[in-house]
Amino acid sequence: MKRDVKTFFECCFHVADYIGSDPTNSLTTKQVTDSVLADPDLRICEGIANTSKHSVRRRSEWVTAWVDGVTKRDDESADVVIKWKTDQDGGEEDALELAKRCYTAWRSYQKANGLKTMLS
């Protein structure tokens, strides 16, 4: 379950690379990534993806985030906790709720930038 949750957030963050590399729009990867880092939920998503990749985040403004625990409810479901921190603050998130908010953030980004093919 931990691996699946990490994989979701890694793929969710990498949507920025997809959009930035898509020749059908004029957005650069940097423009998209800057937007990601401006959204609090996608910023945690980025933290999960890059903490998973690098283990340790070296800059104080970066989010360090990880899957902290999985509590099995029954054979088909579980509660998953994401923890995150920066030098200034930190918190705890329900993974499913965070995933929904990240999806909504990408949908809003898609609409705001006239992207027709992403997440359709």
Side-chain angles (χ1 to χ4, degrees), residues 23-43:
T24 66
N25 70 64
S26 62
L27 299 166
T28 66
T29 300
K30 181 175 179 354
Q31 288 172 313
V32 181
T33 301
D34 287 348
S35 294
V36 166
L37 296 177
D39 181 278
D41 296 318
L42 291 175
R43 192 165 178 246

Side-chain angles (χ1 to χ4, degrees), residues 60-73:
S60 62
E61 69 271 19
W62 289 348
V63 174
T64 299
W66 62 96
V67 178
D68 189 63
V70 176
T71 303
K72 188 174 179 179
R73 281 196 266 165

Side-chain angles (χ1 to χ4, degrees), residues 5 7 13 21 23 27 34 36 43 48 50 55 60 66 71 73 78 82 90 96 103-104 110 113:
V5 171
T7 299
F13 171 64
S21 300
L27 299 166
D34 287 348
V36 166
R43 192 165 178 246
I48 295 166
N50 281 314
S55 182
S60 62
W66 62 96
T71 303
R73 281 196 266 165
I82 302 292
L96 181 57
Y103 177 81
T104 299
Q110 172 187 6
N113 289 281

Side-chain angles (χ1 to χ4, degrees), residues 38-108:
D39 181 278
D41 296 318
L42 291 175
R43 192 165 178 246
I44 295 170
C45 175
E46 181 272 342
I48 295 166
N50 281 314
T51 301
S52 175
K53 180 179 177 183
H54 300 289
S55 182
V56 175
R57 307 299 307 273
R58 299 196 194 302
R59 293 179 55 186
S60 62
E61 69 271 19
W62 289 348
V63 174
T64 299
W66 62 96
V67 178
D68 189 63
V70 176
T71 303
K72 188 174 179 179
R73 281 196 266 165
D74 54 43
D75 288 341
E76 297 182 14
S77 65
D79 294 314
V80 181
V81 174
I82 302 292
K83 287 196 177 176
W84 63 273
K85 66 179 180 173
T86 67
D87 280 355
Q88 293 79 33
D89 60 357
E92 186 173 290
E93 302 283 340
D94 176 81
L96 181 57
E97 293 305 312
L98 178 61
K100 289 176 183 178
R101 294 193 314 265
C102 288
Y103 177 81
T104 299
W106 277 125
R107 291 293 292 189
S108 295

